[in-house]
């Protein structure tokens, strides 16, 4: 009888954890984001925002972001997107010059939508954004930001060569 209860309990726990893992987000692999690779830049008011996405490989893709203006660097940002539980998870953290983190830990986001050259993530930990997405149409790479207060901002960047 004890063995039967343990077996049922173990099966129930396994079933529950399997459903939770699958509920993390839509099915996707890092290869679905190959279209993001490249160097993009554009104006954000008086500043310039630059995103450099490296090739999707080994279950991850990553970007180094830099904001510059008035002859200075104002912010660096690291973004990683990794395969997890059959879906994708984004981690993002900003840094002041001198590689000083703006927050103690990165913000984590889970995949909520992916189709063609569009991907969207929703925050699952606290941070500066409620959601973050990307779309590429021709040479235009658009960042879709939803702030915690509900304000939505689209930031269009243009593809460029890193050798310019």
């Amino acid at each position: 009888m004890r063995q039967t209860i343990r077996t049922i309990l173990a099966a129930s726990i396994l079933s529950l954890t399997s459903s939770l893992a699958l509920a993390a987000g839509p099915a996707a692999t890092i290869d679905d984001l190959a279209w993001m690779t490249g160097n993009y830049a554009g104006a954000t008011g008086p500043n310039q925002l630059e995103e450099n996405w490296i090739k999707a490989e080994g279950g991850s893709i990553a970007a180094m972001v830099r904001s510059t203006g008035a002859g200075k660097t104002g912010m660096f940002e690291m973004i990683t997107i990794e395969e997890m539980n059959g879906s994708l998870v984004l981690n993002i953290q900003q840094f002041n010059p001198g590689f000083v983190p703006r927050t103690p830990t990165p913000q984590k986001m889970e995949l909520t939508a992916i189709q063609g050259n569009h991907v969207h993530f929703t925050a699952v930990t606290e941070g500066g954004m409620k959601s973050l997405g990307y779309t590429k149409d021709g040479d235009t790479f658009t960042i879709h930001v939803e702030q915690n207060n509900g304000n939505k901002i689209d930031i269009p960047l243009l593809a460029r060569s890193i050798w310019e």
Side-chain angles (χ1 to χ4, degrees), residues 28 37 45 48 74-75 85 88 122 132 144:
T37 300
Q48 175 173 275
M75 178 272 298
N85 298 323
L88 301 173
T122 300
L132 178 62
H144 310 282

Side-chain angles (χ1 to χ4, degrees), residues 128-144:
M129 293 173 277
K130 186 174 183 178
S131 70
L132 178 62
Y134 302 94
T135 303
K136 187 173 181 188
D137 183 13
D139 284 344
T140 303
F141 185 86
T142 304
I143 306 164
H144 310 282

Side-chain angles (χ1 to χ4, degrees), residues 18 36 49 67 112 136 144-145 156 163:
S18 296
M36 294 178 75
L49 185 68
S67 177
T112 51
K136 187 173 181 188
H144 310 282
V145 178
W163 309 113

